[in-house]
Amino acid sequence: MTGTMHTRPVRDEQHSVGELVGQATEQLSRLVRQEVTLAKMELAEKGKRAGRGAGMLGAAGAIAYVGLFALAGTATAALSLVLPVWAAALIVTAALFVIAGVLAVMGRAQLRRAVPPKPEETLGSVRADVDQIRERAHR
């Protein structure tokens, strides 16, 4: 969290090493607490969005599931016009299992490529803080 730091009022320009170390420790501690708070807020917001998205995807999946039953019935009825009913039902069932297998393989591949969520903004802010501390330390 880069930005202005609140420091104690300066009495004069001369500070002892102990005072300077104490101020640096206090500022660093405050900075770490602020970064942790920012990370918590960012992850909470991402969690809320993920929850809403998962709920919507679940509802879409439930409706698509019902639609798939209707489509399977329609396909079976259509095929039964040219084939025996048992053959039409067998063809539709086999097609559904093939689709399920392809989706399972694709879903597994996507899960393997998924990366764990991380607080991108906070990591960037921490990097900026570290760079600024290094820059000031070299002065």
Side-chain angles (χ1 to χ4, degrees):
M1 255 175 95
T2 60
T4 60
M5 288 287 194
H6 302 288
T7 58
R8 296 180 195 159
V10 177
R11 291 186 307 268
D12 56 22
E13 294 298 317
Q14 300 293 325
H15 293 287
S16 71
V17 173
E19 289 175 328
L20 292 174
V21 169
Q23 285 179 358
T25 303
E26 178 185 321
Q27 290 173 353
L28 188 59
S29 175
R30 186 179 318 118
L31 178 63
V32 168
R33 283 192 304 273
Q34 290 171 341
E35 294 294 358
V36 168
T37 300
L38 178 62
K40 285 180 184 178
M41 289 172 26
E42 188 178 346
L43 288 174
E45 181 62 30
K46 285 184 178 188
K48 286 178 188 176
R49 286 184 182 160
R52 278 189 233 123
M56 290 178 191
L57 284 173
I63 292 171
Y65 187 67
V66 171
L68 185 62
F69 280 123
L71 179 64
T74 303
T76 303
L79 279 175
S80 70
L81 296 175
V82 294
L83 296 173
V85 175
W86 68 267
L90 184 62
I91 290 170
V92 170
T93 302
L96 289 174
F97 278 122
V98 168
I99 292 169
V102 169
L103 288 174
V105 168
M106 291 172 52
R108 191 168 132 206
Q110 288 295 320
L111 286 174
R112 285 186 176 169
R113 291 191 307 201
V115 295
K118 58 184 175 182
E120 300 286 340
E121 291 177 30
T122 303
L123 292 175
S125 178
V126 168
R127 286 186 192 106
D129 292 341
V130 169
D131 290 343
Q132 193 171 39
I133 290 170
R134 284 183 184 154
E135 180 183 315
R136 289 185 182 192
H138 290 295
R139 289 185 191 172

